[in-house]
Every structure is written in structure tokens, then in C-alpha cells.
Amino acid sequence: MAMPLTMVPLIAIAAVILLVGIAIGYFGSDRAAVWRRRFEDERDHYADYRARSEARHARLIAGRAAAEPLPLAREADPAPQPPLPIDKRESGREITHIIGIDPPLAERLEALGVTTIRDIATLTLEDELALELRLGLNAGTIARDQWRSQAQLLDSGPAALAR
């Protein structure tokens, strides 16, 4: 059954009106532009932060003599003490309580001599950069995850948490 000739132009007109409406809606809305601008701003901010962090890290490394040991390098004890079993350590003093430090990373930190919350709480900026380099972390990871702040809070004890 064929459509009458008058229906074809009406369908074509309706299709054109639909396409024009879609085009007006798409090009008339600036939501995509807003999100694109936000994404580009965030991307540029992160790239700037990363560049500054890597430049600071490179300056620190370049300023050190090749023979000078990195911070936190400790001489081996003549008779190293075996580590205490976990149940005998002080409660609340595990470095894995710091957000961003998982058990494998904690083992790598302990191999470098960072074994307590206080060790992390007393890190300097240079120590942070040296740790990031030795652990293979991205520059600025320790500052971004706020290891020192968390460690200082945990080291201050339950009284500080009650405030």
C-alpha cells in the first residue's frame, strides 16, 4: 500500500524540524564547553604541579655529591635485632595505619630503616624526596598523601584524636 503523495512532504518536514531542533540543542548548550574547560584546567594544574615537583626533585638530586649517602641510609648494626612479632609491638604504632602505606610498601620502608610512626613524622622534605626516589614512587606522593601529618597525629596519641 503506497502512501499518499501528501504524506511524504509532511514526513520530510517533520524530519527536518527534528534535525534542526537537535542541532539547536547541541550547539546552543555550553555544558560541554564548561566540562571541557574544567578538564583542561585540572589537567594543566596537575601538569604544572608535577613539573614543579620533578624540578624540585631534580635540583635536590643534582645538588648532592655522588659519594654522599642519601638521607635515611643507616649503617648496618653489627648484630641486628630480630623484629618483634606483630602482637608484641605497641598497638597503634604500625606504619600501615597511615593511609597510603600498604604492607608491601611497609616492608620496603622497613628495609630502608623507616620502621616507626615517629620516623615518618620527623621526615624532612629532602627525606621525603629521597624516599620517593628509593621506593620508585611518583614525585610528591608522600606530600600528596600527607604521610607526615598522619604520622604526627598518630604519634601524638589518643589524646589528640579525642579533641
Side-chain angles (χ1 to χ4, degrees):
M1 180 175 198
M3 288 204 288
L5 192 54
T6 57
M7 290 296 289
V8 173
L10 291 176
I11 292 174
I13 291 172
V16 168
I17 290 173
L18 178 67
L19 291 175
V20 168
I22 290 172
I24 289 172
Y26 180 74
F27 293 111
S29 174
D30 65 340
R31 288 184 184 172
V34 168
W35 285 107
R36 179 175 291 121
R37 260 186 268 121
R38 286 183 184 175
F39 170 76
E40 290 170 351
D41 290 345
E42 186 70 22
R43 183 194 59 205
D44 295 344
H45 175 73
Y46 178 73
D48 182 49
Y49 171 77
R50 185 173 176 95
R52 283 185 286 124
S53 181
E54 288 175 354
R56 185 173 58 234
H57 185 71
R59 281 194 310 269
L60 177 70
I61 298 303
R64 296 189 184 280
E68 181 183 347
L70 290 173
L72 300 175
R74 297 183 181 165
E75 297 295 323
D77 293 333
Q81 300 281 336
L84 293 173
I86 292 176
D87 58 344
K88 292 189 179 181
R89 290 186 183 171
E90 294 180 31
S91 62
R93 299 295 178 171
E94 291 291 321
I95 59 175
T96 55
H97 283 86
I98 295 175
I99 297 171
I101 301 179
D102 56 357
L105 183 57
E107 289 177 9
R108 291 170 43 206
L109 282 167
E110 288 178 13
L112 293 174
V114 180
T115 57
T116 65
I117 295 286
R118 182 153 296 160
D119 290 340
I120 294 175
T122 58
L123 288 175
T124 64
L125 178 62
E126 293 167 344
D127 294 336
E128 283 183 11
L129 294 173
L131 270 177
E132 290 169 349
L133 179 67
R134 287 181 167 199
L135 295 172
L137 300 173
N138 291 331
T141 299
I142 295 175
R144 183 192 68 229
D145 291 344
Q146 300 178 349
W147 287 9
R148 281 194 287 170
S149 302
Q150 293 180 58
Q152 290 166 354
L153 185 62
L154 288 169
D155 191 42
S156 61
L161 296 174
R163 282 189 238 160

